């Protein structure tokens, strides 16, 4: 995730001329930014340049993305009445530019293209809190005080993301990733009751597409077995749980993605190398490990470190790499 971004001067140059949502809404710009990291290093897949809030902004809420802060919703969703302001997403009519960017990219790319969406809980958190939150307290308050409104909110987000992800595959995406970045804020009981049913429905509805489905979260150590039950084929793990421990928690019959700490890439190369080799050692050559950072690339990351990292992982996994699709 966030393979493109501020660590690349060519990305910053585009962002000087356009707001991030403008980039997302212009197929040629979105395609160009998607390609930028691939011109710098031979990664094995491209991730579409967009943002998790792009489809939500088309569903009846005003969203902007503030640099250094994240998504902001001035008129948040806090009640059953507010939930009614959201309409179900019609991807072809309301976010055609995303599908056009995918079509453009498929003509240019030599590696698989990953489409994505936010997961309902993470999207709900931005909608209910009105912006990034450390505690997610208003979101949890809604979930516990008005479970009916919560279910309706999760339902509309779940259906909309299911349609959005399907439309991305129909446009040419060859794998899908669902980002539940803030699910780790929940205890396993609340995750089980208030989030898992929607995730099961979401992944269940995509199963017929026959593309790899990646389920990503941050701080989800205690939720991993429940995430496995949600039904994706690949579970993303951050750096807080050693890879082999996380893999055992989800079961060796599903694939795992991760899990180098992104801040490790700010350190001198010798320490990046050591940590990357630790991840590979823990994967132990089992089939079904997607090497990745445990979260997005940080803006201050030297491009050269990422280039060396890609080369190192390629060197050490030579002859064993395969595309899960
Ligand atoms: O990886 C890629 O190249 C694809 C692009 C991508 C972006 N956002 C572009 C972006 C992806 C996959 C996302 C997903 C996303 N957006 C998530 C889920 C993954 C994760 O990181 O947990 C979340 C939670 C968001 C919401 C969001 N958008 C945040 C928290 C921020 C960062 C705010 C900041 O300035 O630190 C954004 C802005 C954003 N979206 C950037 C990028 C490259 C930052 C650069 C910019 O503002 O131009």
């Amino acid at each position: 995730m966030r393979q493109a971004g501020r660590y690349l001067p060519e990305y910053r140059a585009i962002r000087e001329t356009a707001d991030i949502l403008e980039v997302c809404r212009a197929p040629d710009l979105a395609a160009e930014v998607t390609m930028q990291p691939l011109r710098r290093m031979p990664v094995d897949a491209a991730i579409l340049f967009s943002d998790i809030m792009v489809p939500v902004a088309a569903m009846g809420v005003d969203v902007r993305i503030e640099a250094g802060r994240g998504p902001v919703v001035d008129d948040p969703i806090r009640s059953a009445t507010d939930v009614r302001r959201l309409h179900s997403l019609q991807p072809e009519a309301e976010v055609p530019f995303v599908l056009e960017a995918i079509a453009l990219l498929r003509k240019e790319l030599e590696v698989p293209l990953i489409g994505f969406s936010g997961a309902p809980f993470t999207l709900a958190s931005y909608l209910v809190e009105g912006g990034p939150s450390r505690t997610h307290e208003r979101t949890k308050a809604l979930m516990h005080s008005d479970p009916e409104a919560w279910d309706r909110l999760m339902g509309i987000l779940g259906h909309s993301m299911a349609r959005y992800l399907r439309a991305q595959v129909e446009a040419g995406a060859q794998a899908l990733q669902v980002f539940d970045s803030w699910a780790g804020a929940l205890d396993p009981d609340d995750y089980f009751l208030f989030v898992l049913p929607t995730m099961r429905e979401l992944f269940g509805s995509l199963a017929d597409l026959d593309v790899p489905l990646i389920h990503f979260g941050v701080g989800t150590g205690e939720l991993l077995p429940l995430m496995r039950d949600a039904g994706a084929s690949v579970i993303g793990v951050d750096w807080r749980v050693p890879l082999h421990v996380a893999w055992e928690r989800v079961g060796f019959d599903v694939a795992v993605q991760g899990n180098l700490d992104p801040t490790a890439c700010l350190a001198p190369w010798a320490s990046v190398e050591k940590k990357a080799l630790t991840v590979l050692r823990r994967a132990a050559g089992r089939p079904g490990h997607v090497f990745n950072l445990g979260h997005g690339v940080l803006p201050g990351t030297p491009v050269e470190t990422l280039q060396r990292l890609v080369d190192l992982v390629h060197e050490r996994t030579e002859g064993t790499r395969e595309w899960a699709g």
Side-chain angles (χ1 to χ4, degrees):
M1 72 229 80
R2 297 212 216 131
Q3 187 157 278
R6 284 165 295 191
Y7 72 101
L8 288 172
E10 57 270 34
Y11 176 82
R12 294 197 298 269
I14 288 192
R15 284 281 283 106
E16 264 167 35
T17 67
D19 174 74
I20 183 161
L21 290 177
E22 285 168 16
V23 177
C24 296
R25 288 173 182 145
D28 53 337
L29 286 183
E32 166 60 23
V33 173
T34 302
M35 294 303 296
Q36 286 176 345
L38 284 103
R39 295 192 193 111
R40 294 279 202 152
M41 52 206 154
V43 284
D44 299 310
I47 178 154
L48 170 71
F49 187 83
S50 188
D51 192 84
I52 57 168
M53 300 311 283
V54 165
V56 180
M59 290 170 64
V61 266
D62 273 336
V63 182
R64 59 176 196 283
I65 297 180
E66 281 183 14
R69 188 161 171 231
V72 176
V73 177
D74 286 327
D75 198 1
I77 307 272
R78 300 260 165 92
S79 66
T81 316
D82 292 337
V83 174
R84 284 193 206 100
R85 279 171 23 213
L86 289 172
H87 66 259
S88 196
L89 182 74
Q90 307 292 333
E92 288 78 7
E94 291 170 327
V95 287
F97 39 82
V98 173
L99 310 177
E100 285 163 34
I102 291 173
L104 285 176
L105 281 162
R106 279 302 306 278
K107 288 190 205 142
E108 206 177 332
L109 279 168
E110 283 161 20
V111 293
L113 177 64
I114 306 171
F116 73 90
S117 83
F121 173 78
T122 290
L123 297 174
S125 171
Y126 284 118
L127 290 174
V128 176
E129 305 292 335
S133 168
R134 207 166 40 81
T135 53
H136 305 270
E137 60 202 64
R138 291 192 170 95
T139 315
K140 293 182 189 182
L142 179 66
M143 161 191 297
H144 290 287
S145 63
D146 192 344
E148 233 172 85
W150 176 257
D151 281 351
R152 197 166 315 144
L153 176 59
M154 290 295 276
I156 193 162
L157 290 169
H159 279 131
S160 297
M161 292 313 113
R163 283 190 199 169
Y164 180 55
L165 291 161
R166 178 173 293 274
Q168 291 182 54
V169 171
E170 285 165 357
Q174 292 143 295
L176 294 171
Q177 179 153 208
V178 178
F179 291 106
D180 212 352
S181 303
W182 313 135
L186 294 168
D187 67 53
D189 298 321
D190 284 352
Y191 185 86
F192 179 81
L193 284 173
F194 295 108
V195 175
L196 184 59
T198 309
M199 296 309 289
R200 288 180 68 107
E201 223 174 280
L202 177 60
F203 286 118
S205 80
L206 300 170
D208 66 295
L209 290 173
D210 208 25
V211 296
L213 304 172
I214 311 165
H215 187 177
F216 172 84
V218 178
T220 52
E222 296 305 318
L223 303 179
L224 288 170
L226 294 171
M227 285 173 71
R228 183 234 152 81
D229 287 347
S233 35
V234 186
I235 309 293
V237 279
D238 76 2
W239 58 95
R240 292 171 179 87
V241 183
L243 189 75
H244 60 300
V245 177
W247 209 340
E248 204 168 342
R249 287 185 192 174
V250 296
F252 290 109
D253 55 334
V254 290
V256 288
Q257 173 177 289
N259 72 341
L260 184 67
D261 182 349
T263 65
C265 297
L266 302 171
W269 172 248
S271 103
V272 183
E273 182 178 40
K274 190 167 163 231
K275 280 189 163 293
L277 291 176
T278 300
V279 171
L280 290 178
R281 197 176 58 249
R282 288 172 174 164
R286 290 185 201 91
H289 172 224
V290 181
F291 186 94
N292 205 336
L293 304 187
H295 206 175
V297 177
L298 293 164
T301 307
V303 182
E304 202 205 338
T305 299
L306 296 176
Q307 291 166 332
R308 291 177 81 170
L309 181 60
V310 171
D311 289 345
L312 175 77
V313 174
H314 278 166
E315 246 167 64
R316 297 302 175 112
T317 57
E318 194 58 61
T320 66
R321 285 198 306 279
E322 61 180 320
W323 164 241

